[in-house]
Each structure stands twice: as structure tokens, then as C-alpha cells.
Amino acid sequence: MIPAVFTTTSMPPNSASTASNAADIASSSATSPPTGIARPPAATIAATVSSALALLPA
């Protein structure tokens, strides 16, 4: 005889508690607020442009 592995039936979530849980999660988010646009450092850009220009034919 093979033992039964899944013996319980699933039930759909209670919509009231699901909405409440979602609101709780949203209000306690651990993420930081957006702080602006990410940009590479100016020195990196200058070095990249310089090395690219050096590859161009004279």
C-alpha cells in the first residue's frame, strides 16, 4: 500500500484577510524610496570616451 502524501484540500484565500495582509505589507515595506537617477561617475565616462577616441583613425 502507498501512503497518501497530500491528505488535505486547499481552500481559496479569504478576500478580507488577503486585502488586510496586503495593506500591512505595503505600509511596512523595507525598501527605500527612490532617490534619483543612477549615473556612472564622470571619470569613468571620460576614460571611456578617451579610449574610444584613441581607436578612431586620424
Side-chain angles (χ1 to χ4, degrees), residues 3-52:
V5 177
F6 300 105
T7 58
T8 60
T9 58
S10 64
M11 297 179 63
N14 177 330
S15 62
S17 67
T18 303
S20 173
N21 290 344
D24 290 344
I25 292 169
S27 68
S28 66
S29 176
T31 60
S32 300
T35 57
I37 299 171
R39 296 185 186 131
T44 303
I45 295 171
T48 302
V49 170
S50 177
S51 62

